[in-house]
Amino acid sequence: YEYVGEVQSEPIYTKTTLPPPSARARPDWVDNIGKLDPTLFHILDETYRCFDEKCYTLAAIGLRTALDSCVTTVKIDPGKSFQEKLKELLGRGFIGETEHSILTVLTDAGSAAAHRAWSPSQEQTTHLLDVLENFIHRVLVNGQKALEMKDGIPQPQRRQTKVQKPDVL
């Protein structure tokens, strides 16, 4: 073919941003969790990166592992099974019956991903992330801050009881 000044083809441009933007915004407290528990921060960081890369099986395993790290942070024996750990969280008042059931779903999902090749969808993984973030925020972040404030709050003054004298006629 002879070039006569006409466009022969259009160039195809591809734009790539590196590193790619996160698929999910991390809560603002995640960076500060490293001060409380560096291991938990590392696990969460890897779990979020798996989610960003659409590795939902690995993210589910990471969520279960992060929950396990949280349980250790609140001084529950790491040698116990997940069911025993959740039961102790319930017994010690960290969670109620409903959250116990919800966290059981999270641990079951992580176990299924790890041992039975189950791969959750993006929506399912998002819900599991919500569950873990809510638990961590309530127990470790807000709970820890409240406990730190406890000693600085003045205690109520004890009232003196009045001794009633019997009426004398």
Side-chain angles (χ1 to χ4, degrees), residues 40-98:
L40 176 58
F41 172 78
H42 181 72
I43 294 165
L44 286 173
D45 184 55
E46 287 189 5
T47 301
Y48 283 113
R49 284 192 276 149
C50 287
F51 185 81
D52 290 343
E53 294 297 325
K54 298 182 170 87
C55 299
Y56 303 127
T57 302
L58 296 176
I61 296 167
L63 290 168
R64 182 185 74 156
T65 305
L67 177 62
D68 200 22
S69 182
C70 292
V71 169
T72 302
T73 301
V74 295
K75 311 272 189 283
I76 292 177
D77 180 11
K80 293 183 175 186
S81 70
F82 276 108
Q83 292 80 13
E84 292 170 328
K85 291 173 185 177
L86 292 178
K87 197 172 200 170
E88 189 167 338
L89 282 172
L90 178 64
R92 289 179 47 195
F94 285 107
I95 59 175
E97 289 288 339
T98 302

Side-chain angles (χ1 to χ4, degrees), residues 104-133:
T104 298
V105 170
L106 186 141
T107 59
D108 289 349
S111 295
H115 304 294
R116 296 181 293 283
W118 178 70
S119 184
S121 67
Q122 179 180 1
E123 182 180 1
Q124 290 169 323
T125 309
T126 298
H127 287 302
L128 293 172
L129 273 165
D130 289 340
V131 166
L132 184 68
E133 287 173 355

Side-chain angles (χ1 to χ4, degrees), residues 154-166:
Q155 296 299 312
Q157 298 290 324
R158 294 194 180 255
R159 294 183 184 170
Q160 293 182 355
T161 56
K162 294 181 182 178
V163 178
Q164 290 186 355
K165 297 180 184 177

